[in-house]
Amino acid sequence: MSRKPIKSYISKSGEARTLDQDWFNSADLYQANKLVRRGRPVGSGNKTPVTIRLDKEIVEQFKETGSGWQTRMNNALREWLKRHSPAKP
C-alpha cells in the first residue's frame, strides 16, 4: 500500500507550522513501542456534536464506566426514546 509523501511541519526557519487536519488524520498511535492504530478511524457520519448541560453526578457516573462512556450515554438516550416516543404509524 503506497502512502502520500510525508509533509514537513517544520519550516526552513525551524519554526513548527500549524498542524492541519491531514496531520491528525495520518497520525499513528503507539502504546509503549507497539503500533495500536494508524490514523483516525472512519466515523459513521451519523453523529452530531452538541453542547449540553447535564448534572455533574450523571456525567461522572458515565465516565466512571471507562472508555466509551459517550456511546453508552447515547445508547441510554436511545433506549429512553424507544420507551417514551409515540408509536409510529
Side-chain angles (χ1 to χ4, degrees):
M1 171 168 76
S2 67
R3 296 194 72 166
K4 295 188 293 187
I6 296 174
K7 179 177 170 182
S8 174
Y9 284 90
I10 305 297
S11 70
K12 290 181 181 180
S13 64
E15 295 292 318
R17 295 183 178 155
T18 302
L19 301 180
D20 56 15
Q21 193 60 46
D22 286 340
W23 185 88
F24 287 100
N25 289 342
S26 65
D28 295 344
L29 176 64
Y30 287 87
Q31 287 181 350
N33 290 328
K34 183 179 177 188
L35 178 64
V36 177
R37 72 167 167 81
R38 186 169 298 277
R40 184 175 183 190
V42 178
S44 67
N46 295 328
K47 305 287 183 178
T48 301
V50 297
T51 301
I52 184 172
R53 297 176 62 83
L54 300 169
D55 292 339
K56 186 176 181 178
E57 56 271 7
I58 292 173
V59 176
E60 286 174 352
Q61 285 189 359
F62 271 95
K63 284 185 173 183
E64 285 174 4
T65 64
S67 181
W69 68 270
Q70 290 177 331
T71 299
R72 286 187 292 282
M73 186 177 279
N74 187 75
N75 292 341
L77 290 168
R78 185 182 310 280
E79 283 300 313
W80 187 93
L81 284 173
K82 284 180 186 176
R83 291 189 213 131
H84 295 86
S85 295
K88 294 180 182 177

